[in-house]
Amino acid sequence: MNAVRVIVTRPERDAAGWVQALQAHGLQAEALPLIEIAALPESPALQQAWREISAYSALMFVSGNAVDGFFASNQAAALVQSAQAATDSIANPGPRFLAPGPGTVAALRRAGVPEALIDAPAADAGQFDSEALWAVVSQRDWQGRRVLIVRGQGAGLDQAGGVGRDWLAQQFAAAGARVDVVAVYQRRAPVFSASQRQRIKAAAHDGSVWLLSSSEALAYLPAGDWSRARAVATHPRIAEAARAAGWGVVVPSRPEIADIVGSIESIPP
């Protein structure tokens, strides 16, 4: 395993933890972010959402970045305080906090949201995405309820944003809910250094295993021949996008370290 080089493509802040975890399993992991995350100014839509926050039955966050961007508001402390009080109140339970996977759950916990108010797929779920989250909350009465989806703003679609987000909004609407959407961060193409471009070119054919966590990010790679490239994708839709882009070996995996390591081990040398 020591000879396996793994390229972690998650945004810079997230990549460090993944690199450390993979290195702890004996892999030669390095970070090469293929997507950049930038905060957005507090928009009129976000300000309105905060003014009407008590009217929402659920706040759905597409990612940990969505949580961080939303709770950066100076009004976040009041929401956390009311959420904590809501755990002891039956008459006024307050909004539920919805997360598609463990990374978003962890961000909500860091923000101070009580565990009892968080709804998410089980830790052993087959996938962590909008479909898995809807399976958890679909049986509730959403008729006439208001739902706020907190997301990023980007040019493309990925499993945590575009496709999954739009699908989930459609499910809530079909169930009778009024859905609002607000963007709190921006996803954009990184500016690669000369050394990073050289690394990308080499890793397309030198046996490195790319850890792909966004189909949108694939579009930000320089044009080239990916027929000899190898990758582990953390969602089937990302795997499909990589194959469509001409990647030679693409293995889908649950986005958990143990599963990712197993998937990397399954790729022939």
Side-chain angles (χ1 to χ4, degrees), residues 174-193:
R178 170 184 166 184
V179 182
D180 298 323
V181 179
V182 63
V184 296
Y185 67 94
Q186 182 181 41
R187 303 184 308 275
R188 62 193 184 193
V191 178
F192 297 118
S193 66

Side-chain angles (χ1 to χ4, degrees), residues 95-115:
R96 303 291 300 181
F97 296 79
L98 314 185
T104 310
V105 169
L108 286 169
R109 289 173 181 157
R110 290 195 301 270
V113 177
E115 180 77 26

Side-chain angles (χ1 to χ4, degrees), residues 145-253:
R145 309 282 185 177
R146 293 186 65 184
V147 176
L148 179 66
I149 296 180
V150 185
R151 62 170 178 84
Q153 172 183 292
L157 301 177
D158 59 30
Q159 97 286 359
V163 173
R165 181 194 71 236
D166 292 344
W167 181 88
L168 187 61
Q170 291 167 7
Q171 306 315 303
F172 278 119
R178 170 184 166 184
V179 182
D180 298 323
V181 179
V182 63
V184 296
Y185 67 94
Q186 182 181 41
R187 303 184 308 275
R188 62 193 184 193
V191 178
F192 297 118
S193 66
S195 62
Q196 285 177 321
R197 286 185 174 275
Q198 291 175 353
R199 184 70 188 99
I200 290 170
K201 184 177 181 179
H205 57 77
D206 68 1
S208 297
V209 177
W210 295 70
L211 178 57
L212 302 177
S213 58
S214 167
S215 51
E216 177 181 343
L218 286 169
Y220 299 147
L221 281 166
D225 179 8
W226 297 97
S227 62
R228 295 169 58 191
R230 311 192 306 168
V232 169
T234 58
H235 193 278
R237 283 196 286 267
I238 302 173
E240 291 172 8
R243 294 187 187 108
W247 286 59
V249 177
V250 183
V251 178
S253 172

